[in-house]
PDB file of all heavy atoms in Angstrom:
ATOM      1  N   GLN A   1    -134.179 307.078  11.953  1.00 90.00           N
ATOM      2  CA  GLN A   1    -133.962 308.420  11.282  1.00 90.00           C
ATOM      3  C   GLN A   1    -134.501 308.387   9.894  1.00 90.00           C
ATOM      4  O   GLN A   1    -135.120 309.386   9.414  1.00 90.00           O
ATOM      5  CB  GLN A   1    -132.437 308.762  11.255  1.00 90.00           C
ATOM      6  CG  GLN A   1    -132.148 310.053  10.612  1.00 90.00           C
ATOM      7  CD  GLN A   1    -132.751 311.250  11.367  1.00 90.00           C
ATOM      8  OE1 GLN A   1    -132.654 311.354  12.596  1.00 90.00           O
ATOM      9  NE2 GLN A   1    -133.459 312.114  10.637  1.00 90.00           N
ATOM     10  N   ALA A   2    -134.306 307.308   9.142  1.00 89.00           N
ATOM     11  CA  ALA A   2    -134.774 307.167   7.764  1.00 89.00           C
ATOM     12  C   ALA A   2    -136.374 307.202   7.834  1.00 89.00           C
ATOM     13  O   ALA A   2    -136.934 307.849   6.923  1.00 89.00           O
ATOM     14  CB  ALA A   2    -134.289 305.905   7.109  1.00 89.00           C
ATOM     15  N   ARG A   3    -136.937 306.590   8.780  1.00 91.00           N
ATOM     16  CA  ARG A   3    -138.439 306.602   8.928  1.00 91.00           C
ATOM     17  C   ARG A   3    -138.934 307.996   9.157  1.00 91.00           C
ATOM     18  O   ARG A   3    -139.914 308.440   8.591  1.00 91.00           O
ATOM     19  CB  ARG A   3    -138.941 305.654  10.018  1.00 91.00           C
ATOM     20  CG  ARG A   3    -140.388 305.560  10.040  1.00 91.00           C
ATOM     21  CD  ARG A   3    -141.011 305.054  11.349  1.00 91.00           C
ATOM     22  NE  ARG A   3    -142.397 304.800  11.344  1.00 91.00           N
ATOM     23  CZ  ARG A   3    -143.352 305.748  11.147  1.00 91.00           C
ATOM     24  NH1 ARG A   3    -142.998 306.960  10.954  1.00 91.00           N
ATOM     25  NH2 ARG A   3    -144.618 305.420  11.156  1.00 91.00           N
ATOM     26  N   GLN A   4    -138.233 308.712   9.999  1.00 92.00           N
ATOM     27  CA  GLN A   4    -138.565 310.116  10.349  1.00 92.00           C
ATOM     28  C   GLN A   4    -138.480 311.002   9.029  1.00 92.00           C
ATOM     29  O   GLN A   4    -139.329 311.767   8.724  1.00 92.00           O
ATOM     30  CB  GLN A   4    -137.766 310.656  11.451  1.00 92.00           C
ATOM     31  CG  GLN A   4    -138.196 312.004  11.929  1.00 92.00           C
ATOM     32  CD  GLN A   4    -137.349 312.482  13.091  1.00 92.00           C
ATOM     33  OE1 GLN A   4    -136.268 311.920  13.391  1.00 92.00           O
ATOM     34  NE2 GLN A   4    -137.818 313.484  13.772  1.00 92.00           N
ATOM     35  N   ASP A   5    -137.369 310.802   8.349  1.00 90.00           N
ATOM     36  CA  ASP A   5    -137.153 311.540   7.105  1.00 90.00           C
ATOM     37  C   ASP A   5    -138.251 311.190   6.070  1.00 90.00           C
ATOM     38  O   ASP A   5    -138.800 312.106   5.447  1.00 90.00           O
ATOM     39  CB  ASP A   5    -135.784 311.134   6.383  1.00 90.00           C
ATOM     40  CG  ASP A   5    -134.624 311.595   7.250  1.00 90.00           C
ATOM     41  OD1 ASP A   5    -134.790 312.402   8.235  1.00 90.00           O
ATOM     42  OD2 ASP A   5    -133.485 311.120   7.006  1.00 90.00           O
ATOM     43  N   ALA A   6    -138.632 309.922   6.009  1.00 91.00           N
ATOM     44  CA  ALA A   6    -139.695 309.499   5.088  1.00 91.00           C
ATOM     45  C   ALA A   6    -141.046 310.199   5.454  1.00 91.00           C
ATOM     46  O   ALA A   6    -141.809 310.632   4.582  1.00 91.00           O
ATOM     47  CB  ALA A   6    -139.844 307.986   5.111  1.00 91.00           C
ATOM     48  N   GLY A   7    -141.288 310.336   6.689  1.00 91.00           N
ATOM     49  CA  GLY A   7    -142.520 310.946   7.185  1.00 91.00           C
ATOM     50  C   GLY A   7    -142.492 312.465   6.781  1.00 91.00           C
ATOM     51  O   GLY A   7    -143.602 312.901   6.235  1.00 91.00           O
ATOM     52  N   PHE A   8    -141.470 313.117   6.913  1.00 91.00           N
ATOM     53  CA  PHE A   8    -141.352 314.529   6.450  1.00 91.00           C
ATOM     54  C   PHE A   8    -141.574 314.628   4.965  1.00 91.00           C
ATOM     55  O   PHE A   8    -142.276 315.534   4.484  1.00 91.00           O
ATOM     56  CB  PHE A   8    -140.026 315.173   6.906  1.00 91.00           C
ATOM     57  CG  PHE A   8    -139.935 315.392   8.377  1.00 91.00           C
ATOM     58  CD1 PHE A   8    -138.739 315.045   9.026  1.00 91.00           C
ATOM     59  CD2 PHE A   8    -140.907 315.994   9.088  1.00 91.00           C
ATOM     60  CE1 PHE A   8    -138.606 315.296  10.370  1.00 91.00           C
ATOM     61  CE2 PHE A   8    -140.746 316.206  10.421  1.00 91.00           C
ATOM     62  CZ  PHE A   8    -139.640 315.826  11.090  1.00 91.00           C
ATOM     63  N   LEU A   9    -140.907 313.760   4.266  1.00 90.00           N
ATOM     64  CA  LEU A   9    -141.029 313.761   2.767  1.00 90.00           C
ATOM     65  C   LEU A   9    -142.490 313.489   2.346  1.00 90.00           C
ATOM     66  O   LEU A   9    -142.984 314.115   1.395  1.00 90.00           O
ATOM     67  CB  LEU A   9    -140.026 312.809   2.127  1.00 90.00           C
ATOM     68  CG  LEU A   9    -138.577 313.179   2.242  1.00 90.00           C
ATOM     69  CD1 LEU A   9    -137.707 312.009   1.904  1.00 90.00           C
ATOM     70  CD2 LEU A   9    -138.290 314.390   1.356  1.00 90.00           C
ATOM     71  N   ALA A  10    -143.132 312.568   3.000  1.00 92.00           N
ATOM     72  CA  ALA A  10    -144.473 312.182   2.610  1.00 92.00           C
ATOM     73  C   ALA A  10    -145.423 313.393   2.880  1.00 92.00           C
ATOM     74  O   ALA A  10    -146.280 313.639   2.015  1.00 92.00           O
ATOM     75  CB  ALA A  10    -144.957 311.028   3.430  1.00 92.00           C
ATOM     76  N   VAL A  11    -145.263 314.078   3.936  1.00 90.00           N
ATOM     77  CA  VAL A  11    -146.107 315.195   4.287  1.00 90.00           C
ATOM     78  C   VAL A  11    -145.883 316.338   3.209  1.00 90.00           C
ATOM     79  O   VAL A  11    -146.845 317.014   2.842  1.00 90.00           O
ATOM     80  CB  VAL A  11    -145.797 315.757   5.671  1.00 90.00           C
ATOM     81  CG1 VAL A  11    -146.436 317.101   5.932  1.00 90.00           C
ATOM     82  CG2 VAL A  11    -146.207 314.741   6.726  1.00 90.00           C
ATOM     83  N   GLN A  12    -144.703 316.390   2.699  1.00 92.00           N
ATOM     84  CA  GLN A  12    -144.405 317.447   1.644  1.00 92.00           C
ATOM     85  C   GLN A  12    -144.907 316.927   0.288  1.00 92.00           C
ATOM     86  O   GLN A  12    -144.807 317.731  -0.681  1.00 92.00           O
ATOM     87  CB  GLN A  12    -142.904 317.687   1.564  1.00 92.00           C
ATOM     88  CG  GLN A  12    -142.346 318.329   2.846  1.00 92.00           C
ATOM     89  CD  GLN A  12    -140.819 318.408   2.833  1.00 92.00           C
ATOM     90  OE1 GLN A  12    -140.159 317.893   1.884  1.00 92.00           O
ATOM     91  NE2 GLN A  12    -140.267 318.933   3.911  1.00 92.00           N
ATOM     92  N   GLY A  13    -145.397 315.725   0.215  1.00 91.00           N
ATOM     93  CA  GLY A  13    -145.914 315.222  -1.098  1.00 91.00           C
ATOM     94  C   GLY A  13    -144.832 314.627  -1.963  1.00 91.00           C
ATOM     95  O   GLY A  13    -145.100 314.281  -3.084  1.00 91.00           O
ATOM     96  N   LYS A  14    -143.670 314.396  -1.395  1.00 93.00           N
ATOM     97  CA  LYS A  14    -142.548 313.832  -2.138  1.00 93.00           C
ATOM     98  C   LYS A  14    -142.575 312.313  -1.938  1.00 93.00           C
ATOM     99  O   LYS A  14    -141.730 311.809  -1.233  1.00 93.00           O
ATOM    100  CB  LYS A  14    -141.216 314.447  -1.718  1.00 93.00           C
ATOM    101  CG  LYS A  14    -141.169 315.926  -1.977  1.00 93.00           C
ATOM    102  CD  LYS A  14    -139.833 316.528  -1.497  1.00 93.00           C
ATOM    103  CE  LYS A  14    -139.893 318.067  -1.743  1.00 93.00           C
ATOM    104  NZ  LYS A  14    -138.708 318.700  -1.131  1.00 93.00           N
ATOM    105  N   LEU A  15    -143.574 311.630  -2.478  1.00 92.00           N
ATOM    106  CA  LEU A  15    -143.785 310.231  -2.137  1.00 92.00           C
ATOM    107  C   LEU A  15    -142.711 309.315  -2.614  1.00 92.00           C
ATOM    108  O   LEU A  15    -142.390 308.300  -1.907  1.00 92.00           O
ATOM    109  CB  LEU A  15    -145.180 309.798  -2.663  1.00 92.00           C
ATOM    110  CG  LEU A  15    -146.344 310.638  -2.209  1.00 92.00           C
ATOM    111  CD1 LEU A  15    -147.669 310.110  -2.799  1.00 92.00           C
ATOM    112  CD2 LEU A  15    -146.466 310.605  -0.673  1.00 92.00           C
ATOM    113  N   GLN A  16    -142.173 309.562  -3.807  1.00 94.00           N
ATOM    114  CA  GLN A  16    -141.082 308.637  -4.286  1.00 94.00           C
ATOM    115  C   GLN A  16    -139.908 308.758  -3.357  1.00 94.00           C
ATOM    116  O   GLN A  16    -139.235 307.693  -3.099  1.00 94.00           O
ATOM    117  CB  GLN A  16    -140.782 308.962  -5.700  1.00 94.00           C
ATOM    118  CG  GLN A  16    -141.789 308.548  -6.766  1.00 94.00           C
ATOM    119  CD  GLN A  16    -141.891 307.060  -6.871  1.00 94.00           C
ATOM    120  OE1 GLN A  16    -141.035 306.226  -6.438  1.00 94.00           O
ATOM    121  NE2 GLN A  16    -142.967 306.621  -7.459  1.00 94.00           N
ATOM    122  N   HIS A  17    -139.565 309.946  -2.986  1.00 95.00           N
ATOM    123  CA  HIS A  17    -138.379 310.125  -2.036  1.00 95.00           C
ATOM    124  C   HIS A  17    -138.675 309.462  -0.677  1.00 95.00           C
ATOM    125  O   HIS A  17    -137.765 308.871  -0.073  1.00 95.00           O
ATOM    126  CB  HIS A  17    -138.041 311.574  -1.930  1.00 95.00           C
ATOM    127  CG  HIS A  17    -137.521 312.180  -3.160  1.00 95.00           C
ATOM    128  ND1 HIS A  17    -136.383 311.787  -3.821  1.00 95.00           N
ATOM    129  CD2 HIS A  17    -138.023 313.243  -3.930  1.00 95.00           C
ATOM    130  CE1 HIS A  17    -136.176 312.465  -4.929  1.00 95.00           C
ATOM    131  NE2 HIS A  17    -137.177 313.348  -5.027  1.00 95.00           N
ATOM    132  N   ALA A  18    -139.937 309.605  -0.248  1.00 94.00           N
ATOM    133  CA  ALA A  18    -140.314 309.009   0.945  1.00 94.00           C
ATOM    134  C   ALA A  18    -140.177 307.509   0.945  1.00 94.00           C
ATOM    135  O   ALA A  18    -139.700 306.775   1.864  1.00 94.00           O
ATOM    136  CB  ALA A  18    -141.762 309.409   1.371  1.00 94.00           C
ATOM    137  N   LEU A  19    -140.587 306.951  -0.210  1.00 94.00           N
ATOM    138  CA  LEU A  19    -140.470 305.480  -0.418  1.00 94.00           C
ATOM    139  C   LEU A  19    -139.030 305.043  -0.405  1.00 94.00           C
ATOM    140  O   LEU A  19    -138.747 303.985   0.209  1.00 94.00           O
ATOM    141  CB  LEU A  19    -141.149 305.128  -1.753  1.00 94.00           C
ATOM    142  CG  LEU A  19    -141.224 303.627  -2.104  1.00 94.00           C
ATOM    143  CD1 LEU A  19    -142.011 302.893  -1.067  1.00 94.00           C
ATOM    144  CD2 LEU A  19    -141.855 303.428  -3.493  1.00 94.00           C
ATOM    145  N   GLN A  20    -138.151 305.808  -0.986  1.00 94.00           N
ATOM    146  CA  GLN A  20    -136.738 305.486  -0.943  1.00 94.00           C
ATOM    147  C   GLN A  20    -136.204 305.452   0.484  1.00 94.00           C
ATOM    148  O   GLN A  20    -135.410 304.553   0.898  1.00 94.00           O
ATOM    149  CB  GLN A  20    -135.918 306.473  -1.775  1.00 94.00           C
ATOM    150  CG  GLN A  20    -136.141 306.364  -3.291  1.00 94.00           C
ATOM    151  CD  GLN A  20    -135.434 307.454  -4.063  1.00 94.00           C
ATOM    152  OE1 GLN A  20    -135.028 308.517  -3.477  1.00 94.00           O
ATOM    153  NE2 GLN A  20    -135.400 307.313  -5.350  1.00 94.00           N
ATOM    154  N   ARG A  21    -136.605 306.445   1.260  1.00 93.00           N
ATOM    155  CA  ARG A  21    -136.092 306.511   2.640  1.00 93.00           C
ATOM    156  C   ARG A  21    -136.714 305.363   3.502  1.00 93.00           C
ATOM    157  O   ARG A  21    -135.984 304.776   4.351  1.00 93.00           O
ATOM    158  CB  ARG A  21    -136.511 307.855   3.250  1.00 93.00           C
ATOM    159  CG  ARG A  21    -135.794 309.064   2.714  1.00 93.00           C
ATOM    160  CD  ARG A  21    -134.283 308.902   2.785  1.00 93.00           C
ATOM    161  NE  ARG A  21    -133.752 308.939   4.126  1.00 93.00           N
ATOM    162  CZ  ARG A  21    -132.600 308.432   4.504  1.00 93.00           C
ATOM    163  NH1 ARG A  21    -131.750 307.962   3.710  1.00 93.00           N
ATOM    164  NH2 ARG A  21    -132.256 308.452   5.842  1.00 93.00           N
ATOM    165  N   ILE A  22    -137.975 305.027   3.268  1.00 94.00           N
ATOM    166  CA  ILE A  22    -138.536 303.918   4.090  1.00 94.00           C
ATOM    167  C   ILE A  22    -137.965 302.589   3.621  1.00 94.00           C
ATOM    168  O   ILE A  22    -137.769 301.697   4.463  1.00 94.00           O
ATOM    169  CB  ILE A  22    -140.078 303.944   4.028  1.00 94.00           C
ATOM    170  CG1 ILE A  22    -140.632 303.177   5.245  1.00 94.00           C
ATOM    171  CG2 ILE A  22    -140.623 303.397   2.787  1.00 94.00           C
ATOM    172  CD1 ILE A  22    -140.345 303.766   6.584  1.00 94.00           C
ATOM    173  N   ASN A  23    -137.564 302.447   2.379  1.00 93.00           N
ATOM    174  CA  ASN A  23    -136.911 301.244   1.953  1.00 93.00           C
ATOM    175  C   ASN A  23    -135.537 301.125   2.674  1.00 93.00           C
ATOM    176  O   ASN A  23    -135.116 300.026   3.071  1.00 93.00           O
ATOM    177  CB  ASN A  23    -136.711 301.210   0.403  1.00 93.00           C
ATOM    178  CG  ASN A  23    -137.983 300.865  -0.316  1.00 93.00           C
ATOM    179  OD1 ASN A  23    -138.879 300.131   0.267  1.00 93.00           O
ATOM    180  ND2 ASN A  23    -138.073 301.323  -1.498  1.00 93.00           N
ATOM    181  N   TYR A  24    -134.892 302.222   2.814  1.00 92.00           N
ATOM    182  CA  TYR A  24    -133.595 302.229   3.524  1.00 92.00           C
ATOM    183  C   TYR A  24    -133.827 301.834   5.007  1.00 92.00           C
ATOM    184  O   TYR A  24    -133.038 301.026   5.541  1.00 92.00           O
ATOM    185  CB  TYR A  24    -132.950 303.625   3.406  1.00 92.00           C
ATOM    186  CG  TYR A  24    -131.591 303.718   4.158  1.00 92.00           C
ATOM    187  CD1 TYR A  24    -130.447 303.145   3.663  1.00 92.00           C
ATOM    188  CD2 TYR A  24    -131.560 304.370   5.330  1.00 92.00           C
ATOM    189  CE1 TYR A  24    -129.274 303.236   4.320  1.00 92.00           C
ATOM    190  CE2 TYR A  24    -130.339 304.513   6.059  1.00 92.00           C
ATOM    191  CZ  TYR A  24    -129.230 303.935   5.549  1.00 92.00           C
ATOM    192  OH  TYR A  24    -128.019 304.010   6.265  1.00 92.00           O
ATOM    193  N   ALA A  25    -134.875 302.336   5.588  1.00 93.00           N
ATOM    194  CA  ALA A  25    -135.168 301.995   6.955  1.00 93.00           C
ATOM    195  C   ALA A  25    -135.389 300.503   7.104  1.00 93.00           C
ATOM    196  O   ALA A  25    -134.904 299.878   8.064  1.00 93.00           O
ATOM    197  CB  ALA A  25    -136.398 302.778   7.462  1.00 93.00           C
ATOM    198  N   ILE A  26    -136.161 299.908   6.146  1.00 93.00           N
ATOM    199  CA  ILE A  26    -136.450 298.486   6.204  1.00 93.00           C
ATOM    200  C   ILE A  26    -135.176 297.638   6.029  1.00 93.00           C
ATOM    201  O   ILE A  26    -135.022 296.638   6.667  1.00 93.00           O
ATOM    202  CB  ILE A  26    -137.497 298.083   5.191  1.00 93.00           C
ATOM    203  CG1 ILE A  26    -138.888 298.718   5.638  1.00 93.00           C
ATOM    204  CG2 ILE A  26    -137.611 296.600   4.924  1.00 93.00           C
ATOM    205  CD1 ILE A  26    -139.966 298.552   4.629  1.00 93.00           C
ATOM    206  N   GLU A  27    -134.242 298.106   5.177  1.00 92.00           N
ATOM    207  CA  GLU A  27    -132.963 297.420   5.017  1.00 92.00           C
ATOM    208  C   GLU A  27    -132.212 297.323   6.374  1.00 92.00           C
ATOM    209  O   GLU A  27    -131.535 296.381   6.625  1.00 92.00           O
ATOM    210  CB  GLU A  27    -132.101 298.109   3.978  1.00 92.00           C
ATOM    211  CG  GLU A  27    -132.605 297.928   2.570  1.00 92.00           C
ATOM    212  CD  GLU A  27    -131.748 298.797   1.580  1.00 92.00           C
ATOM    213  OE1 GLU A  27    -130.694 299.282   1.957  1.00 92.00           O
ATOM    214  OE2 GLU A  27    -132.286 298.947   0.449  1.00 92.00           O
ATOM    215  N   ASN A  28    -132.284 298.367   7.176  1.00 90.00           N
ATOM    216  CA  ASN A  28    -131.567 298.488   8.427  1.00 90.00           C
ATOM    217  C   ASN A  28    -132.287 297.777   9.517  1.00 90.00           C
ATOM    218  O   ASN A  28    -131.674 297.403  10.547  1.00 90.00           O
ATOM    219  CB  ASN A  28    -131.301 299.977   8.807  1.00 90.00           C
ATOM    220  CG  ASN A  28    -130.151 300.524   7.976  1.00 90.00           C
ATOM    221  OD1 ASN A  28    -129.014 300.024   8.151  1.00 90.00           O
ATOM    222  ND2 ASN A  28    -130.369 301.414   7.072  1.00 90.00           N
ATOM    223  N   ASP A  29    -133.656 297.707   9.461  1.00 91.00           N
ATOM    224  CA  ASP A  29    -134.450 297.114  10.531  1.00 91.00           C
ATOM    225  C   ASP A  29    -135.597 296.319   9.996  1.00 91.00           C
ATOM    226  O   ASP A  29    -136.732 296.736  10.063  1.00 91.00           O
ATOM    227  CB  ASP A  29    -134.893 298.144  11.504  1.00 91.00           C
ATOM    228  CG  ASP A  29    -135.534 297.582  12.809  1.00 91.00           C
ATOM    229  OD1 ASP A  29    -135.493 296.338  12.947  1.00 91.00           O
ATOM    230  OD2 ASP A  29    -135.958 298.430  13.644  1.00 91.00           O
ATOM    231  N   PRO A  30    -135.341 295.134   9.389  1.00 92.00           N
ATOM    232  CA  PRO A  30    -136.378 294.403   8.663  1.00 92.00           C
ATOM    233  C   PRO A  30    -137.378 293.701   9.615  1.00 92.00           C
ATOM    234  O   PRO A  30    -138.316 293.065   9.109  1.00 92.00           O
ATOM    235  CB  PRO A  30    -135.598 293.372   7.843  1.00 92.00           C
ATOM    236  CG  PRO A  30    -134.311 293.202   8.585  1.00 92.00           C
ATOM    237  CD  PRO A  30    -133.954 294.554   9.224  1.00 92.00           C
ATOM    238  N   LEU A  31    -137.161 293.773  10.960  1.00 91.00           N
ATOM    239  CA  LEU A  31    -138.115 293.191  11.862  1.00 91.00           C
ATOM    240  C   LEU A  31    -139.126 294.137  12.472  1.00 91.00           C
ATOM    241  O   LEU A  31    -139.847 293.716  13.382  1.00 91.00           O
ATOM    242  CB  LEU A  31    -137.245 292.450  12.986  1.00 91.00           C
ATOM    243  CG  LEU A  31    -136.315 291.398  12.527  1.00 91.00           C
ATOM    244  CD1 LEU A  31    -135.482 290.869  13.574  1.00 91.00           C
ATOM    245  CD2 LEU A  31    -137.027 290.280  11.713  1.00 91.00           C
ATOM    246  N   ASP A  32    -139.092 295.336  12.055  1.00 93.00           N
ATOM    247  CA  ASP A  32    -140.082 296.356  12.638  1.00 93.00           C
ATOM    248  C   ASP A  32    -141.253 296.404  11.664  1.00 93.00           C
ATOM    249  O   ASP A  32    -141.237 297.007  10.569  1.00 93.00           O
ATOM    250  CB  ASP A  32    -139.407 297.703  12.635  1.00 93.00           C
ATOM    251  CG  ASP A  32    -140.224 298.782  13.311  1.00 93.00           C
ATOM    252  OD1 ASP A  32    -141.447 298.538  13.494  1.00 93.00           O
ATOM    253  OD2 ASP A  32    -139.701 299.924  13.568  1.00 93.00           O
ATOM    254  N   PRO A  33    -142.443 295.890  12.150  1.00 95.00           N
ATOM    255  CA  PRO A  33    -143.623 295.886  11.353  1.00 95.00           C
ATOM    256  C   PRO A  33    -144.169 297.285  10.993  1.00 95.00           C
ATOM    257  O   PRO A  33    -144.825 297.465   9.973  1.00 95.00           O
ATOM    258  CB  PRO A  33    -144.637 295.080  12.146  1.00 95.00           C
ATOM    259  CG  PRO A  33    -144.146 295.051  13.554  1.00 95.00           C
ATOM    260  CD  PRO A  33    -142.649 295.255  13.453  1.00 95.00           C
TER     261      PRO A  33
END
């Protein structure tokens, strides 16, 4: 869900917010390349 949110934010040009969401995703699933 966080990855999907990050994708939407990135498309909107909100890169810092997208980075925060993808960091959250990595915290929850650090084995997904």
Side-chain angles (χ1 to χ4, degrees):
Q1 181 61 49
R3 187 199 186 294
Q4 188 176 16
D5 294 346
F8 289 134
L9 290 166
V11 169
Q12 294 172 0
K14 300 175 181 176
L15 301 181
Q16 287 293 343
H17 294 297
L19 184 60
Q20 290 171 348
R21 293 303 295 159
I22 201 65
N23 282 334
Y24 179 75
I26 289 171
E27 288 173 15
N28 282 294
D29 190 4
L31 300 177
D32 184 349

